[in-house]
Amino acid sequence: MTKKTLYDEGFAFWLETRDRINCSLDVHINEWFSPKEQTFMDIGLRVYSANSIDKIGIFIPFLINEEEITDLFDQMSDKNISRIIFNSDCKINSSTAESITEIKYNDREENIVESSLLSFSTQEVYDDNNIKGTIIYLDIKNAKEKFTKNELYIRFRIPHKPIKDLFKSKINLTSCLISPENSFEYNYVIRVNEVRTLNKNIRMLLKSNCSRINKIIVTASIPTKFDICDDRCYRIRTLEKTLYETYLPNNFSGNDTLSYQWKCEDKDHYYINIKIKKKSISVISVLGYLIVTILLSTFCSALWTLITGVL
């Protein structure tokens, strides 16, 4: 029997700017799935025409506070970490200005910026159905004079709290007695700028600002005892633990881990379904079958003794 669970989340990203023609962004999402512990999510934003932008807005569909957000600026300023993130040898110049690093790779030049430089703030959001969420604002107006490039890259990490509920499904006792093999299917859906999943306040922010996303790349890393099945996944690889060692979340070992990647481009909104599967043998079933076998063996032995005694 297969036990299925579904968790569906709608995120949103927008830019407050007077130049809607040239401004846009790429979104990078990394999920560090830890089914028995806290899962973390990394969010990376590449912003184009950064000098024309006043503020970056991000809607997270659950509550988060500023203390729970980890800036990854220091890690990204390390050329080895940048190499594994961008899959390219990077030239790093960290002497341009405080809290800003220049990075060059693949004919691209951009500034990696520490989020503290951008007047970082959060705002809780509720709607009529009491659906909770958080807007993260990155105000870049006062930092523009320090930019040396017109492309900006920001990356941070948050605890992905609701994912704990995704992996809580259990097989009931009846199912265990029917079959010793348990099968679990966990479906996690990421929606980005999909209007139907967003409350009125977020929809208005998307409409009144620039919400053009050129590309979204989603990476999911998970222990090999779980399988991710999706034909749209364009890359699967073993996580290079020695390269990622100083970058991984503290509770993520990186041992026997596979990383899966999805890439979508040039859409008004994005939808990615991460289908995670796991099979296991139920200890309850095995013990149940063992007890039944012992009881049947004892019964048959007693019955045979009775029959031979009568004869």
Side-chain angles (χ1 to χ4, degrees), residues 33-37 167 182-186 221-229 253 255-258 260 276-281:
F33 285 117
S34 296
K36 293 184 178 180
E37 298 184 54
F167 295 102
N182 293 333
S183 179
F184 299 88
E185 183 178 300
Y186 312 98
S221 298
I222 195 166
T224 52
K225 63 182 178 181
F226 295 85
D227 293 322
I228 292 183
C229 307
S253 71
N255 295 323
D256 299 322
T257 297
L258 288 177
Y260 302 77
I276 304 168
K277 292 186 176 183
K278 180 188 177 184
K279 290 183 178 181
S280 62
I281 301 298

Side-chain angles (χ1 to χ4, degrees), residues 59-193:
F59 174 69
I60 307 295
F62 49 89
L63 294 182
I64 195 91
N65 58 58
E66 292 183 37
E67 291 72 27
E68 294 175 301
I69 301 171
T70 302
D71 190 356
L72 299 173
F73 170 78
D74 288 338
Q75 287 92 329
M76 295 297 299
S77 299
D78 183 308
K79 64 179 181 181
N80 292 319
I81 299 298
S82 293
R83 175 165 62 93
I84 60 177
I85 297 299
F86 299 121
N87 193 29
S88 178
D89 285 322
C90 301
K91 293 182 179 179
I92 302 289
N93 180 7
S94 57
S95 61
T96 52
E98 185 180 359
S99 302
I100 294 180
T101 291
E102 277 187 359
I103 183 170
K104 299 180 182 180
Y105 63 98
N106 293 344
D107 298 325
R108 167 173 272 128
E109 298 183 12
E110 57 194 21
N111 284 148
I112 299 175
V113 180
E114 190 170 7
S115 59
S116 61
L117 186 68
L118 306 179
S119 301
F120 197 90
S121 64
T122 60
Q123 175 186 325
E124 292 185 0
V125 178
Y126 299 87
D127 66 10
D128 295 337
N129 297 319
N130 200 33
I131 296 175
K132 303 173 183 178
T134 306
I135 296 176
I136 299 175
Y137 281 116
L138 298 170
D139 192 329
I140 68 176
K141 291 193 297 290
N142 297 327
K144 289 181 186 180
E145 61 184 23
K146 296 183 179 181
F147 295 169
T148 60
K149 305 296 176 185
N150 207 20
E151 278 188 25
L152 188 69
Y153 193 85
I154 305 160
R155 196 174 184 92
F156 58 89
R157 176 173 294 158
I158 58 176
H160 200 165
K161 302 174 184 179
I163 290 297
K164 283 185 176 181
D165 296 331
L166 179 68
F167 295 102
K168 281 184 177 179
S169 60
K170 296 180 180 179
I171 299 292
N172 59 44
L173 182 59
T174 304
S175 302
C176 290
L177 295 176
I178 293 173
S179 171
E181 183 179 77
N182 293 333
S183 179
F184 299 88
E185 183 178 300
Y186 312 98
N187 289 277
Y188 172 53
V189 177
I190 298 177
R191 303 173 190 257
V192 175
N193 287 8

Side-chain angles (χ1 to χ4, degrees), residues 209-221:
N209 293 289
C210 175
S211 58
R212 186 165 69 252
I213 298 176
N214 306 311
K215 176 172 61 178
I216 178 169
I217 296 177
V218 175
T219 304
S221 298

Side-chain angles (χ1 to χ4, degrees), residues 10-12 14 59-61 124-135 194-207:
F11 295 80
W14 64 92
F59 174 69
I60 307 295
E124 292 185 0
V125 178
Y126 299 87
D127 66 10
D128 295 337
N129 297 319
N130 200 33
I131 296 175
K132 303 173 183 178
T134 306
I135 296 176
E194 187 170 315
V195 173
R196 76 184 76 189
T197 65
L198 302 170
N199 68 40
K200 182 180 179 180
N201 294 331
I202 304 304
R203 295 198 305 270
M204 290 178 62
L205 286 168
L206 287 178
K207 186 175 181 180

